Amino acid sequence: MTFPLIGEHLALDLLNTRTAEGDLVADPAGLAAWLGAQAGRLSAVDAVGEGEVAAVRAVREAARPALDAVRRGERPPAQALRALNGALSAAPSHRVLTWGEGAGPAVAVHRQAGPARRLAAELADAVVELLTDPRAGQVRECEAHDCVLLFLPAHPRRRWCVAGVCGNRARVARYYARHKDG
Ligand SMILES: [Zn+2]
C-alpha cells in the first residue's frame, strides 16, 4: 500500500490515514503498512491485529475534532480530550537513561502496556504535542476540492499536500476549464 502524504508531523500523518478515498488503516494489513512507513517514529509492533487497528483509529477520531477546535482557537470537545487523556493514562511511561556506544547518554521513553495501548499512547502523545504547538493554528488542508489531507506548511505559499499530485491536477482542471469552449 502507498500513502499519499507521509513525513508530516506524526499527528498529521495519523490524520492523513483518512483520505477522500477511504480509511487506509481500516484493517491490520493497512495499519502494518503504515507502521512500516513510520519506522523509527513509533516503537515496533510485532503483530498488528484488530486491537491495534481499533486503538489507532480511536486516537485518530479524537484527534480530528480536537485539532479542528484548536485551529479555530476553541476548546476541543470534552469527549475528544477524554479519549486522548485516556490513551495516555492507559500506558504509563517513564524515561530510561541509556548509553549508546560512541553516542553517549540518551533518554528513551518506556511505556508499560501491551502493543495496542502503547501505540495509542505514542500517537496520543504526538497529537498532544501538535495541539500544544503554537503552529497548530497554521495547519492547512490541501486546497484540491476533493482532497482532505493536512499539512503544516514550512513555506507560507504551500497550497497542496503533494504539489506533483494535487497541484498538477488543479492545473490540468484549470486548463480544461479555460479551453472547454474553444
Ligand atoms: Zn491534496
Side-chain angles (χ1 to χ4, degrees):
M1 178 178 305
T2 59
F3 299 93
L5 178 61
I6 216 126
E8 293 290 325
H9 190 288
L10 180 56
L12 294 177
D13 273 11
L14 172 66
L15 289 165
N16 287 339
T17 59
R18 184 182 274 292
T19 73
E21 281 76 45
D23 188 347
L24 305 179
V25 297
D27 54 47
L31 179 58
W34 186 74
L35 292 174
Q38 298 292 350
R41 297 222 276 180
L42 291 163
S43 58
V45 178
D46 294 334
V48 178
E50 294 294 346
E52 284 74 28
V53 169
V56 167
R57 294 172 87 195
V59 173
R60 188 188 60 193
E61 298 326 308
R64 184 68 211 226
L67 177 61
D68 286 346
V70 167
R71 285 171 74 198
R72 293 191 304 264
E74 293 169 7
R75 181 192 167 90
Q79 198 185 345
L81 290 179
R82 254 198 317 275
L84 291 169
N85 284 329
L88 290 171
S89 65
S93 66
H94 60 266
R95 307 213 293 168
V96 184
L97 178 64
T98 61
W99 186 271
E101 224 29 77
V107 65
V109 174
H110 178 79
R111 291 188 183 277
Q112 230 161 336
R117 287 184 168 179
R118 204 174 64 222
L119 192 54
E122 287 179 359
L123 291 171
D125 223 15
V127 172
V128 169
E129 188 187 277
L130 177 67
L131 295 180
T132 55
D133 189 314
R135 294 174 304 165
Q138 296 168 24
V139 169
R140 282 188 203 164
E141 190 171 296
C142 179
E143 285 186 22
H145 73 279
D146 55 352
C147 182
V148 297
L149 299 184
L150 299 167
F151 56 87
L152 190 55
H155 192 288
R157 279 165 56 193
R158 181 173 171 194
R159 299 169 61 195
W160 317 106
C161 61
V162 182
V165 180
C166 283
N168 272 349
R169 284 193 303 127
R171 263 190 296 279
V172 169
R174 276 200 305 274
Y175 177 87
Y176 280 110
R178 264 200 314 273
H179 292 81
K180 71 179 176 203
D181 300 320

